[in-house]
């Protein structure tokens, strides 16, 4: 998205606008101090609407008008352009005057808002403009003294109209910046959830529990009534609803957008789809879209690969999606698609780690355990042949038979280990192992890792996601700041909080330089915030080095069902 042009300096604009006032009537010259004082006060408004309200009142007072109105156009590229005004600000001495402001604006739009007095000089309309861009229309009517509007009145109103245009432009730039920041932060949050495993490990179209996270986030960011994730339909060629986020049940979950729908080929080709009225064009192929208004569908595409689509809709009668919102939604979907591809690769790596470990266990069982059992059986058989006591021979024979049965069971286990499982869940152990192994690359050595207790069984998904993120933060701090030669990581699912509640405790200790007395501690603050959000805590103390040199970070949180 192109950066917005900087707003012009109000003083420069005012100077340019008032330059043409020189040499005019003493009446205009006498009003200049009031105009300048009014303009100084106008810039202190908390928002554009307040500033426009002050401008309307100020203009009416300066030129002696009984009523005034400002009509603000929709932003350029807004899908609502041509469907009315984005904002209307009015002023009138009486209720009848205020009600007549709508007629003022309608007349200005019909005549093009000329910068001149209307019939009999009782009507004045000027455009709200900064440079070549027009933001709206400024209208005044009915002089209090019954006379016509003068050229001096027109010049004063044009100066105030310029100030109004600046206020609108500045507010729109600020609003666009805040909106862009929200979408970027939302994309980062979803990416972290997908890559940390916090979105769940079960497979749903390759996204785990991710569809629900993505649907809720796109609904929140778009300020919409519903957020939907659609994934390719098995064998049907269409798109199936995998997740829905809405305040009320929608009946959309599990429904399909058939391949014959015009939207499907466009989405699969990487093109967005904008729907002004789903009731008249039900692209989802169900009766449910009739309850929604303006809708937007964007593809989840990464490179040439389309993983699915995001859809969001507002309530019936809601405002349409602007060009800016459509662009931001498309960028958000592209970022989510990249995160999904990375998460898929991450799951493949975790699965490979598990398979390699299974293969190692199978080799150890075959090369060590089976061979030793076989050797023990041969020794017993030799002892049986040399024994003269029938009772001893019988017992040895039973022991040999038991060993033979054990060898067979071990071989069966070896065979099972060598088979590729249909799906290997990552689990908290696998995710922790991946983080520790990944840290070995920048560190130049492999940190030690110890698990205590049933980590995978005891620690819930949310706590596990925060624990992995805390581990990543602690290892990153050790790499960037500690200059450590040794790091020990312990994940203890049998820990207890200070109040006695069961907890999981993560300890990352190193023999580095320690935490400097006056240094930044943003990483430690992040760890503390994560723990406190779960009802736990985080602290640091002496490390592994001689005399306590280095740092030991302890992060703990209550186990599921035990936290606040």
């Amino acid at each position: 998205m192109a950066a917005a042009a900087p707003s012009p300096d109000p003083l420069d604009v005012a100077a340019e606008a008032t330059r043409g006032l020189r040499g005019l009537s003493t009446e205009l010259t006498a009003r200049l101090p009031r105009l300048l004082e009014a303009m100084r006060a106008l810039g202190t408004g908390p928002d554009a609407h307040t500033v426009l309200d002050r401008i309307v009142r100020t203009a009416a007072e300066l030129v002696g008008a009984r009523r005034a109105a400002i009509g603000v156009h929709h932003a350029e590229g807004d899908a609502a352009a041509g469907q009315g005004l984005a904002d209307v600000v009015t002023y009138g001495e009486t209720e009848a005057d205020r009600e007549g402001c709508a007629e003022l604006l309608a007349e200005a739009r019909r005549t093009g808002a000329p910068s001149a007095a209307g019939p009999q000089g009782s009507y004045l309309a000027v455009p709200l403009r900064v440079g070549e861009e027009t933001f709206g229309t400024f209208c005044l009517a009915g002089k209090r003294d019954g006379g016509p509007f003068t050229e001096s009145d027109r010049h004063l109103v044009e100066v105030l109209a310029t100030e109004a245009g600046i206020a609108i432009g500045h507010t729109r730039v600020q609003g666009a910046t805040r909106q862009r920041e929200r979408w970027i932060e939302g994309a980062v949050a979803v990416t972290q959830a997908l890559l940390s495993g916090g979105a769940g490990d079960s497979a749903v179209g390759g996204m785990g529990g991710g569809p629900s996270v993505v649907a809720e986030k796109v609904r929140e960011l778009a300020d919409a009534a519903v957020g939907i994730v659609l994934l390719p339909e098995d064998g049907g060629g269409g798109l199936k609803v995998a997740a829905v986020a809405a305040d009320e049940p929608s009946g959309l979950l599990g429904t399909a957008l058939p391949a014959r729908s015009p939207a499907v080929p466009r989405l699969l080709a990487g093109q967005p789809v904008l729907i002004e009225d789903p009731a008249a064009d039900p692209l989802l192929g169900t009766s449910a879209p009739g309850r929604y208004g303006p809708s937007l569908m964007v593809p989840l595409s990464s490179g040439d690969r389309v993983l699915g689509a995001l859809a969001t809709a507002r309530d019936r009668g809601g405002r349409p999606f602007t060009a800016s919102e459509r662009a931001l939604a498309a960028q958000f979907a592209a970022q989510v698609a990249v995160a999904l591809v990375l998460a898929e690769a991450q799951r493949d790596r975790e699965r490979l780690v598990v398979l390699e470990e299974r293969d190692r266990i199978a080799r150890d069982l075959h090369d060590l355990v089976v061979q030793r059992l076989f050797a023990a059986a041969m020794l017993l058989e030799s002892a049986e042949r040399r024994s003269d006591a029938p009772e001893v021979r019988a017992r040895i024979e039973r022991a040999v038979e038991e060993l033979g049965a054990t060898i067979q069971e071990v071989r069966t286990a070896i065979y099972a280990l060598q088979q590729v499982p249909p799906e290997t869940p990552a689990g908290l152990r696998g995710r922790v192992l991946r983080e520790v192994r990944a840290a070995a690359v920048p560190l130049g050595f492999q940190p030690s890792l110890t698990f205590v207790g049933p980590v995978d069984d005891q620690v819930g998904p949310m706590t596990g996601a925060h624990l992995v993120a805390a581990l990543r933060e602690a290892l990153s701090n050790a790499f960037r700041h500690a200059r450590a030669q040794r790091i020990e990581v312990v994940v203890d699912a049998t820990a207890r909080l200070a109040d006695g509640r069961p907890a999981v405790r993560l300890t990352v200790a190193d023999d580095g330089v320690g935490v400097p007395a006056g240094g930044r501690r943003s990483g430690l603050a992040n760890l503390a915030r994560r723990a406190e959000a779960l009802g736990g805590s985080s602290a640091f103390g002496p490390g592994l080095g001689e005399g306590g040199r280095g740092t030991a970070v302890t992060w703990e949180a209550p186990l599921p069902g035990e936290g606040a």
Side-chain angles (χ1 to χ4, degrees):
M1 183 181 299
S7 299
D9 190 321
L11 292 178
D12 293 340
V13 175
E16 178 66 26
T18 56
R19 193 169 291 126
L21 301 178
R22 297 171 183 169
L24 294 179
S25 67
T26 56
E27 172 198 359
L28 179 58
T29 305
R31 286 192 284 180
L32 279 179
R34 292 180 60 198
L35 172 64
L36 295 175
E37 177 61 24
M39 290 183 65
R40 185 190 66 79
L42 290 177
T44 61
D47 53 56
H49 190 88
T50 302
V51 172
L52 296 180
D53 183 70
R54 291 179 181 177
I55 288 174
V56 165
R57 293 175 180 275
T58 300
E61 292 170 1
L62 283 174
V63 303
R66 289 196 308 270
R67 52 193 172 120
I70 289 179
V72 180
H73 299 166
H74 288 280
E76 184 178 356
D78 193 329
Q83 300 180 15
L85 297 169
D87 193 11
V88 175
V89 183
T90 62
Y91 168 79
E93 293 182 345
T94 65
E95 185 65 29
D97 288 338
R98 288 190 290 273
E99 291 176 355
C101 288
E103 299 175 6
L104 282 179
L105 293 172
E107 176 65 21
R109 298 188 75 187
R110 190 163 48 249
T111 60
S115 182
Q120 291 81 47
S122 62
Y123 168 78
L124 182 63
V126 297
L128 306 181
R129 182 183 293 127
V130 175
E132 298 299 321
E133 186 171 3
T134 300
F135 291 106
T137 308
F138 196 174
C139 304
L140 299 98
K143 294 275 283 189
R144 294 191 186 96
D145 59 9
F149 287 104
T150 65
E151 280 297 302
S152 297
D153 293 334
R154 181 175 65 83
H155 280 292
L156 285 172
V157 173
E158 284 179 339
V159 172
L160 290 171
T162 301
E163 180 70 13
I166 292 172
I168 297 168
H170 182 64
T171 300
R172 286 184 174 172
V173 169
Q174 285 187 322
T177 300
R178 286 194 297 269
Q179 186 182 52
R180 186 164 54 250
E181 289 174 349
R182 286 181 63 245
W183 281 90
I184 291 173
E185 290 171 358
V188 170
V190 169
T191 300
Q192 290 177 339
L194 292 173
L195 294 182
S196 68
D201 297 317
S202 61
V204 180
M207 292 177 66
S212 299
V213 175
V214 175
E216 183 58 45
K217 183 57 68 174
V218 74
R219 175 201 178 205
E220 172 191 335
L221 294 172
D223 190 23
V226 63
I228 302 170
V229 173
L230 300 102
L231 299 177
E233 187 180 19
D234 293 337
L239 295 171
K240 186 175 182 180
V241 176
V244 179
D247 288 335
E248 298 179 358
S250 63
L252 292 173
L253 188 62
T255 61
L257 187 62
R260 65 178 180 274
S261 167
V264 171
R266 291 182 59 184
L267 290 170
L268 295 180
Q271 300 174 4
V273 175
L274 183 65
I275 312 166
E276 294 184 3
D277 185 6
D281 186 12
L283 289 179
L284 289 178
T286 69
S287 59
R291 75 181 69 175
Y292 297 119
S295 304
L296 175 64
M297 305 175 74
V298 290
L300 284 167
S301 58
S302 177
D304 296 332
R305 182 182 177 190
V306 178
L307 307 176
L310 296 184
T312 185
R314 294 188 170 123
D315 288 321
R316 290 191 63 79
R319 61 181 179 86
F321 290 95
T322 65
S324 174
E325 288 174 325
R326 298 196 297 272
L328 290 170
Q331 293 170 4
F332 174 82
Q335 178 64 36
V336 170
V338 171
L340 291 172
V341 171
L342 292 176
E344 184 180 32
Q346 181 174 288
R347 283 192 298 272
D348 289 341
R349 289 194 301 270
E350 291 170 350
R351 193 163 181 255
L352 181 60
V353 168
V354 173
L355 292 175
E356 289 176 346
E357 185 66 10
R358 288 163 64 96
D359 189 57
R360 183 193 62 78
I361 294 172
R363 288 197 309 270
D364 289 346
L365 286 173
H366 180 271
D367 296 342
L368 300 176
V369 178
V370 172
Q371 296 300 327
R372 289 181 179 179
L373 288 174
F374 188 70
M378 291 183 65
L379 289 174
L380 287 173
E381 287 179 347
S382 177
E384 180 188 6
R385 288 193 296 269
R386 295 178 183 179
S387 176
D388 295 330
E391 184 178 352
V392 173
R393 290 170 62 91
R395 289 183 178 180
I396 292 176
E397 185 178 354
R398 284 197 299 272
V400 171
E401 290 175 354
E402 288 294 333
L403 284 174
T406 302
I407 290 172
Q408 185 59 43
E409 290 174 358
V410 171
R411 283 176 171 165
T412 301
I414 292 172
Y415 176 79
L417 286 170
Q418 290 173 334
Q419 302 307 301
V420 177
E423 183 62 32
T424 305
L428 180 56
R429 285 176 179 264
R431 283 147 50 202
V432 169
L433 180 62
R434 184 192 68 244
E435 293 296 332
V436 172
R437 288 183 174 176
V441 176
L443 287 169
F445 63 90
Q446 180 70 53
S448 69
L449 173 61
T450 303
F451 293 101
V452 180
V455 173
D456 285 338
D457 294 336
Q458 293 290 335
V459 183
M462 180 178 295
T463 303
H466 281 283
L467 186 146
V468 171
L471 171 62
R472 187 181 304 129
E473 181 81 37
L475 290 173
S476 175
N477 289 340
F479 163 65
R480 289 181 295 169
H481 309 300
R483 299 196 295 275
Q485 301 298 316
R486 182 162 62 102
I487 296 178
E488 294 182 0
V489 178
V490 178
V491 180
D492 184 359
T494 66
R496 295 270 174 180
L497 297 180
D499 58 9
R501 287 179 295 165
V504 58
R505 178 178 298 129
L506 167 69
T507 304
V508 181
D510 64 64
D511 62 350
V513 297
V515 179
R520 295 178 58 194
R521 301 187 179 184
S522 57
L524 296 174
N526 290 338
L527 293 172
R529 281 194 293 269
R530 284 187 177 278
E532 290 165 2
L534 298 171
S537 63
S538 180
F540 66 93
L544 301 172
E546 185 176 354
R549 189 182 76 255
T551 307
V553 176
T554 302
W555 185 95
E556 57 187 13
L559 292 174
E562 304 291 344

